[in-house]
Amino acid sequence: IAGFAGGYYAILNIAGSLIIILIIYSGVRFLISRGNPGEIQTAKNILFWALVGFGVILIGKGFIYLIESVLQGKMPIFL
């Protein structure tokens, strides 16, 4: 399990970096759109899906933490 979790966390860290790059890219696309509605919509879509991906990553990290703690015999306390 330790090997799996280590690789999984590495993948999550790479995905987190890609999300930051996508958010910046979306902002740049928005700035250079010059009021073109099609380009603005494209920038909004990129930002939306980057944030959806961020939510999925956060849920995945929490799920892995929960599974690890249960398998190690430590019951997580969510207070």
Side-chain angles (χ1 to χ4, degrees), residues 21-39:
I21 290 169
L22 281 173
I23 290 172
I24 292 170
Y25 176 67
S26 171
V28 169
R29 293 271 314 232
F30 183 73
L31 288 174
I32 63 173
S33 69
R34 294 181 294 184
N36 182 353
E39 290 293 322

Side-chain angles (χ1 to χ4, degrees), residues 18-20 22-23 26 45-55:
L18 288 174
I19 287 173
I20 291 172
L22 281 173
I23 290 172
S26 171
N45 285 339
I46 293 170
L47 180 61
F48 174 77
W49 287 110
L51 294 177
V52 167
F54 182 64

Side-chain angles (χ1 to χ4, degrees), residues 9-23 50 53-54 57-58 61:
Y9 285 126
I11 291 171
L12 288 179
N13 288 335
I14 292 169
S17 299
L18 288 174
I19 287 173
I20 291 172
I21 290 169
L22 281 173
I23 290 172
F54 182 64
I57 287 172
L58 288 179
K61 274 189 169 183

